[in-house]
Amino acid sequence: MTPRVGAFEGPGAEWDAAVHAGAGWTHFHGWGWKAVIERVFGHECTYLAARDDTGRVAGVLPLVRAKSLVFGDYLVSMPFLNYGGPLGTEPAVRALVAHAVSLARDCRVDLLELRSRERLALDLPVSHRKITCLLDLSAGDSEGVWQRLSSNVRRKVRRAQKERVSVRFGLDQASAFYQVFSQHMRDLGTPTLPRQLFETIAEQFPEDTWFGCAYYEGRPVAAGCGFQWGGEFELTWVSALQQYHRIYANMLLYWAFIERAANQKLSLFNFGRCTPGGGTHHFKQQWGSRDVALMWYQLVAGRRNATPSPHESAFAWGPSVWKRLPLAVANALGPSIARLIP
């Protein structure tokens, strides 16, 4: 019997139980992200559930619509993040995706994108434009992980330690994180996500969220934010100030996150998504990580076949202009733009 699909109306605990029962679930499938997206970005969230003939939730699919005249109209699971595609039994997943396709066509969106980390039995085309890099950990044995790193990586970490760079963890590092993150984004020529996003994340997921900052002479110079779920940790956002590159503060920051994950007996360190062959990809490979293709299933129904990128010719002028803005101006204008680029 084909599962019945509709908007989820049960308690959040029922949704999360269905998420944790699905293969390939991630932190970003959780019910708490609906409140984060709605509160911070104001986007319309449609969280779908597939129920079997007994009424049990057999699958779930969170969907978020981000719409603008300039950048396009998107239905994404999940925007701003790396994962969020359908979870559940195969019949439930098929029913959820069929419903999502129908919804995308009815709403006339440009692109439906389901960001899965698992290969699914779907008829939709799949984009491999992004990958993630995973490092297997010796759970509880950070020294074992350290010894497997290349001598060049260990040398750079030691250089930062010699320069007396220190790393601090805790939710109280959210402000220092944003100080580094927003400047780094401006320097890249990219509008920054809002400070409110990270404040809301810390409030919504205090047990799962890690903020870490590297300090040099009392100033935060590199910072990261990520999430723990199951036996895995993903470093979702990370930034470093270019003027401190010579002391390798970013290398010490990465090692501090890896060491912490291993000592907390996690088995997998996830470096987050990147573009294959790019500079960020090569940086992550030096840690001994392995590449894993992301399975982003798509229905192209309008003028867009991917979410916006500054590398596109239509937006190529943007980064050069944005880099010249004073930081205060970039931080004031950036969030209203970034919310429309999922």
Side-chain angles (χ1 to χ4, degrees):
M1 180 177 178
T2 302
R4 294 176 289 106
V5 176
F8 179 76
E9 297 178 349
E14 183 183 21
W15 175 279
D16 286 338
V19 165
H20 296 159
W25 70 276
T26 72
H27 191 277
F28 313 116
H29 286 91
W31 181 251
W33 279 97
K34 183 175 187 290
V36 172
I37 297 294
E38 290 176 337
R39 188 186 314 171
V40 176
F41 299 105
H43 291 322
E44 176 187 353
C45 295
T46 302
Y47 273 44
L48 300 175
R51 295 183 182 272
D52 62 21
D53 55 358
T54 69
R56 181 184 67 88
V57 176
V60 294
L61 174 60
L63 288 171
V64 179
R65 189 176 184 185
K67 179 181 181 180
S68 73
L69 292 174
V70 175
F71 297 111
D73 191 353
Y74 305 93
L75 196 58
V76 186
S77 177
M78 288 283 288
F80 315 108
L81 303 166
N82 304 329
Y83 319 115
L87 297 174
T89 65
E90 186 171 320
V93 166
R94 285 187 173 277
L96 286 163
V97 172
H99 192 98
V101 166
S102 178
L103 184 62
R105 287 175 172 155
D106 289 345
C107 294
R108 298 183 179 180
V109 300
D110 293 315
L111 176 70
L112 168 68
E113 185 165 78
L114 308 177
R115 297 178 175 178
S116 177
R117 61 186 294 171
E118 301 285 321
R119 185 176 296 279
L120 303 174
L122 300 177
D123 296 328
L124 292 178
V126 61
S127 168
H128 295 301
R129 70 180 187 275
K130 297 295 182 180
I131 63 171
T132 192
C133 299
L134 304 179
L135 178 66
D136 296 302
L137 302 177
S138 302
D141 180 19
S142 61
E143 180 60 26
V145 179
W146 173 259
Q147 292 302 325
R148 292 201 307 270
L149 298 177
S150 71
S151 59
N152 188 46
V153 167
R154 296 200 302 267
R155 176 186 64 80
K156 291 175 180 177
V157 172
R158 291 192 182 106
R159 168 66 187 276
Q161 292 170 332
K162 184 178 180 181
E163 294 284 349
R164 297 186 178 180
V165 177
S166 61
V167 178
R168 305 174 200 169
F169 286 99
L171 295 179
D172 61 345
Q173 297 300 308
S175 180
F177 161 82
Y178 194 76
Q179 181 181 333
V180 176
F181 176 77
S182 61
Q183 182 174 335
H184 177 73
M185 296 299 285
R186 190 281 310 269
D187 293 346
L188 289 175
T190 303
T192 185
L193 290 165
R195 179 189 295 269
Q196 185 192 7
L197 171 63
F198 302 101
E199 294 172 344
T200 305
I201 283 170
E203 176 186 329
Q204 188 77 26
F205 310 114
E207 302 300 322
D208 306 331
T209 305
W210 297 10
F211 286 101
C213 290
Y215 288 81
Y216 177 65
E217 296 182 344
R219 178 184 180 179
V221 297
C225 171
F227 304 92
Q228 175 183 343
W229 71 86
E232 180 174 349
F233 173 80
E234 182 194 79
L235 189 54
T236 309
W237 295 284
V238 63
S239 300
L241 302 183
Q242 183 60 34
Q243 58 264 46
Y244 297 95
H245 176 74
R246 63 175 181 80
I247 62 173
Y248 298 114
N250 62 326
M251 297 294 290
L252 180 59
L253 177 76
Y254 269 89
W255 168 245
F257 271 103
I258 293 169
E259 181 182 42
R260 190 174 197 248
N263 286 340
Q264 294 201 12
K265 299 184 178 180
L266 303 182
S267 58
L268 199 61
F269 186 89
N270 187 329
F271 285 86
R273 82 184 189 216
C274 58
T275 302
T280 302
H281 182 205
H282 294 315
F283 176 88
K284 294 173 180 180
Q285 285 181 315
Q286 71 180 319
W287 294 90
S289 64
R290 53 188 171 87
D291 296 347
V292 176
L294 296 181
M295 313 294 292
W296 288 8
Y297 292 90
Q298 297 181 321
L299 171 71
V300 178
R303 59 191 173 100
R304 303 289 306 181
N305 60 8
T307 50
S309 167
H311 301 295
E312 295 178 44
S313 58
F315 305 122
W317 56 271
S320 61
V321 172
W322 203 262
K323 290 177 183 180
R324 293 180 171 86
L325 293 179
L327 183 59
V329 175
N331 285 351
L333 298 177
S336 61
I337 299 173
R339 67 178 292 274
L340 303 174
I341 308 174

